Amino acid sequence: MKTMKSFFFPKCPVKIVLLPGLLFITASLAAQPVTIPIVTDNHAIVLQTDKSNLLHTVYFGKPLADPGEYEVVSAGNNFNDDNSGIYDAAYTPSGTWNLSEPAMQVTHADGNQSLELKYLRHDILHIDSNSSLTTIILKDPLYAFQVSLCYKVWKKENVIEQWAEVQHAEKGSVILRKYASANLYFTNKDFYLTTYNSGWAREMQPGETKLLPGLRSVDSKLGTRAMLLQSSNFILSFGKPAAENEGAVMIGQLAWPGNFKLDFEIDSYRNLRVIAGVNPYESAYTLPANQVFKTPSLIYALSNSGTGEASRGLHNWARKYRVLDGEGERLTLLNNWEATYFNFDENKLKGLFKGARELGVDMFLLDDGWFGNKHPRNGDTAGLGDWQENVKKLPSGIGYLVSEAKKEGLKFGIWLEPEMVNPKSELYEKHLDWVIRQPLRPEKYFRNQLVLDLANPEVQNFVFGIVDNLFTKNPQLAFIKWDCNAVIYNAYSPYLQKKGLPQSHLNVEYVKGLYNVLQRIRARYPMVPMMLCSGGGGRGDYELLKYFTEFWPSDDTDPIERIYQQWDYSYFFPAIVTDNHVTDWGRQPLKFRIDVASMGKLGFDIVTSNLSATDRAFAQSAVQNYHTFKDIVWHGDQYRLVNPHESDISALMFVSKDKKRAIMFNYLVNSRYKITATVTPVVLKGLDPDKHYTVKEINLYPGSTSAVSDTRVYSGDFLMKIGYNPNVTLQRTSVVLQADAVE
C-alpha cells in the first residue's frame, strides 16, 4: 500500500489526480462545495464544504441509491444563525468564532490560541474490495498548522475506524491542549446513550438515558487501568431506546488504555454532537515542528437493524482485522490462583498438573507469587518488580515446571505484572528514578504498589527484558497473563523532568511506551497467546488487542454476575477474546458454572481434587463437549435472545457461519420461590429458514435425564418464528441446547 507525505499547499483550483488505488482531490476557497461520502454497505456519513471551505457533517443514515445525490443533501439544512452554524463542523476548532465544545484547542508557537480549520484536500485510498481509507486535510489559513481526519472503512462489516493526525511547520512548538479523535454530528431528534459504570468486581454495569440539552461526559483520569470506574465503550441509538433487532444504532469504543473523554452534547437544535478522544485533563502536549501526532482511534459499528446486527459486524471485523489471531484457536487452562493464592511450592503445583490433565484442558497457568528472593512474593506487599524465581518455592526454576507440565500433556503459562513495582523490592531500592511518584509528597499506593515510568526508554527496555528473558530461558512457555492492577497517583515522571519535557506529557507517553514494549514483544514472539488482565476489566480495547489474544473481563467469577457481564461485553467483543473461568465463587452448582464459562474461552480456577466423583465426571464430559462446539462460540455469529436485565432467564446462542450448527445457552437468573421461568418458547435467531434441525440438550449432569426431546425435526423457519422452550426451572437452572441441520 502506497502512502503519501503531507504538505502545505497554497490556494489552487480544483484538481483531480488518479494514482493506483488512490483518488486525490484538491479545491480552492472559491470552488464548488466538495462532498465526501464515508459509506459502508448499510450506512453513510456525508461531509461537505461550504462557501467558506469549512467542512460540515451533512448526513448520517442509510446509503443513497444514487451517490450523486449526496451533493444536494445539505440543501435542506439551515444552520446559519450565529454560532449554531458551526454545530455540525466535522472537526470543531477553538478560539475563533466557535463557542461550542471544541474538538481541538491549541496554543501556537507565537502564543496565539485561535484556530481555524478549512478544507484543503482529501485522498481516498482503496485498500482492497472491502476496505478503504479516506484522509481529509484541514488547514489553518493563517498558520502552518493542519489536521488530517482519517476514516478507515470496512464496508461489509459496517465498521469505521476514525482518528486524527496533527502536524505543523510553525517557528517553534505548538501546545495541543485538546486533540479529539473524532467529532460526529447527528440530526435525528431523539438520542439514547448507554454507558457502563464499573468498579472492582462489578464491571460493565449498563445505564441507558435519553440525552437532554446540554453536555454529558464520560471520562477517566486514572492513568492506567483506565476503565476501572467508567468504560470507553458506549451504545448510541437514534429515535428510540436501543433494541436488539430494530432501529438505528452505533456501537462505539475509544481504543485507548489511558485517560479518555467522551462528550455527548445536545445542541440548541436538539441535534447531537459527539467528541471523543484523549482526556485533555493534565494532558497538554507540546508538538515540535514537522512531527506528526496521531490520536487514538474511535471505532464504531453501525446498523439500521438494532444492536444485534451492529455487534455481529463488530465481532466479524475484530476477528478478521484487529484481534491478534482472531480467527485462530485458544487454549483452555487451569489456573492456580484461587486454588493456592501465594501459598504454593513445586510439589503443590505438580499436584495440580494432574488435575488439569484429568479435566482435559490444554494448559496450566502459574499465577502471582512465583518470584522475589530478598523480598519474597508471599503476599501483595512485596517482591513486585523482582522477576527471578523464588528459590524456596521453586528451587528447580520455571523450566522444571514447564517440563513437568509437558509430561502430563500440558502446556505451561505464567503471570506477570511488569508495569508495576512494590516499594518493598530490589527494583524500587535500585531504581527509584524509574517510579512514577511525587518526590516531595508521601507515596500513595494502590494494592501496595506503584507504577513504573514507561515514558522512560530504560523502563521500556526493562519491561521488554522481563518477557524476553523468560522466553530465552524457557522457550516452551506457551502463554502470558499480563496484569496491571494499580492506577497512577502523584503523577510525576523523573524521566520527563530530566529531559526538560512537560509533566503533562506523561499520560500520553506512558501509553506510547507501553505500545513500544508490546510491538517489540510481538516482533520477537509474534504468536504467543497473551491475556490482557487489569484487576478484571480495567483494560480491554481494540488497540491493545492488536497485541493480545484475549482479556479478563472481571475478577467477579460468580456465574450469575458473569451472565450479566458477559452479556454486556458481548455488544463490543466476540466471545473468543473473553476469558471465562470456573471458580468456587457463587452458590450455583458446578454444571451452572461450567455452562456459563463455556460462552467464551473456557478456563478453570479450582482444586480438582476437591470435586466429588460425580462433579469430576461431569467436568470431564463438559470439557469434551466444549471442544466439539468451541469453534462455533469463537468464530460463529452471536445472537442475544432473552436479556437477563429484563427477564427471569437469559438466553444467548451462537450459530456457525454455514448455519448448520448452533449452540444455545439458557439460564435462570431469578430464583424466587415457585418461579416458572420459560412459560413460552424462546425464539431462536440466525438459522436458515429452509433448513431442518434437530435439537438436543448437552452438558447433562450424570444421572439426570433431559426434559428436551431430541427426536423431532423442526424447520429453521419454525424455530425462528415460534421458537423452542428450553424448560428452564428451579430444578433445571442451566440448559445448553445444540441444534444440528439435517442433511
Side-chain angles (χ1 to χ4, degrees), residues 418-494:
E419 301 167 63
M420 306 292 162
V421 63
N422 285 128
K424 193 174 181 181
S425 68
E426 292 185 83
L427 179 65
Y428 180 92
E429 294 166 357
K430 294 176 181 177
H431 289 288
L432 191 59
D433 59 323
W434 286 6
V435 181
I436 294 175
R437 57 190 291 277
Q438 289 282 352
L440 300 180
R441 296 188 183 277
E443 292 179 348
K444 173 71 174 177
Y445 306 130
F446 196 110
R447 204 189 180 217
N448 302 302
Q449 62 195 54
L450 296 166
V451 182
L452 294 176
D453 182 9
L454 274 177
N456 186 340
E458 284 188 293
V459 177
Q460 295 171 30
N461 290 338
F462 171 77
V463 174
F464 170 75
I466 295 167
V467 178
D468 192 40
N469 289 337
L470 272 171
F471 279 109
T472 299
K473 295 176 180 178
N474 311 286
Q476 291 185 316
L477 266 178
F479 189 88
I480 295 289
K481 178 181 177 182
W482 184 297
D483 215 339
C484 169
N485 282 299
V487 301
I488 294 178
Y489 291 129
N490 289 326
Y492 179 87
S493 165

Side-chain angles (χ1 to χ4, degrees), residues 338-585:
E338 294 196 15
T340 68
Y341 295 100
F342 296 100
N343 182 26
F344 59 82
D345 56 24
E346 286 178 353
N347 290 330
K348 185 177 286 190
L349 294 177
K350 287 168 60 179
L352 295 175
F353 293 172
K354 181 181 178 182
R357 176 178 56 79
E358 291 176 347
L359 279 176
V361 298
D362 304 313
M363 184 184 70
F364 180 85
L365 173 61
L366 174 59
D367 214 290
D368 194 358
W370 58 268
F371 51 90
N373 287 295
K374 180 179 178 181
H375 303 286
R377 183 71 167 174
N378 295 323
D380 66 8
T381 62
L384 198 59
D386 300 344
W387 299 101
Q388 307 86 29
E389 296 98 325
N390 180 278
V391 295
K392 291 185 177 180
K393 293 181 181 180
L394 308 178
S396 304
I398 296 297
Y400 171 74
L401 294 175
V402 173
S403 62
E404 290 298 300
K406 186 176 181 181
K407 291 177 183 178
E408 297 286 352
L410 299 170
K411 295 183 178 180
F412 189 89
I414 200 165
W415 177 95
L416 295 171
E417 193 174 4
E419 301 167 63
M420 306 292 162
V421 63
N422 285 128
K424 193 174 181 181
S425 68
E426 292 185 83
L427 179 65
Y428 180 92
E429 294 166 357
K430 294 176 181 177
H431 289 288
L432 191 59
D433 59 323
W434 286 6
V435 181
I436 294 175
R437 57 190 291 277
Q438 289 282 352
L440 300 180
R441 296 188 183 277
E443 292 179 348
K444 173 71 174 177
Y445 306 130
F446 196 110
R447 204 189 180 217
N448 302 302
Q449 62 195 54
L450 296 166
V451 182
L452 294 176
D453 182 9
L454 274 177
N456 186 340
E458 284 188 293
V459 177
Q460 295 171 30
N461 290 338
F462 171 77
V463 174
F464 170 75
I466 295 167
V467 178
D468 192 40
N469 289 337
L470 272 171
F471 279 109
T472 299
K473 295 176 180 178
N474 311 286
Q476 291 185 316
L477 266 178
F479 189 88
I480 295 289
K481 178 181 177 182
W482 184 297
D483 215 339
C484 169
N485 282 299
V487 301
I488 294 178
Y489 291 129
N490 289 326
Y492 179 87
S493 165
Y495 173 78
L496 292 176
Q497 177 67 25
K498 180 180 179 180
K499 291 295 182 180
L501 295 171
Q503 289 297 319
S504 60
H505 283 209
L506 177 58
N507 289 322
V508 171
E509 294 299 336
Y510 184 93
V511 177
K512 290 169 66 176
L514 175 62
Y515 290 164
N516 180 53
V517 171
L518 295 171
Q519 287 162 7
R520 291 171 65 186
I521 290 171
R522 284 310 177 193
R524 186 163 297 186
Y525 308 102
M527 296 305 292
V528 174
M530 293 206 305
M531 175 201 296
L532 180 64
C533 185
S534 188
R539 279 178 171 171
D541 71 74
Y542 279 121
E543 193 65 30
L544 284 178
L545 284 170
K546 289 179 177 178
Y547 311 106
F548 291 85
T549 51
E550 59 221 63
F551 78 98
W552 181 238
S554 176
D555 281 347
D556 185 352
T557 54
D558 181 302
I560 289 288
E561 297 302 325
R562 273 299 185 112
I563 288 171
Y564 291 90
Q565 290 185 346
Q566 289 168 210
W567 178 278
D568 291 304
Y569 274 117
S570 77
Y571 290 105
F572 306 95
F573 299 101
I576 193 172
V577 305
T578 57
D579 285 300
N580 306 329
H581 288 185
V582 179
T583 72
D584 291 328
W585 283 47

Side-chain angles (χ1 to χ4, degrees), residues 249-295:
V249 296
M250 167 188 286
I251 292 179
Q253 175 196 97
L254 187 75
W256 176 252
N259 294 346
F260 62 84
K261 189 175 187 185
L262 311 174
D263 289 329
F264 303 89
E265 182 180 18
I266 300 294
D267 66 22
S268 60
Y269 288 101
R270 295 188 178 270
N271 296 325
L272 174 62
R273 305 175 72 242
V274 177
I275 297 175
V278 172
N279 196 333
Y281 171 80
E282 294 186 357
S283 293
Y285 197 89
T286 302
L287 182 66
N290 303 313
Q291 292 187 14
V292 177
F293 182 92
K294 181 179 182 295
T295 72

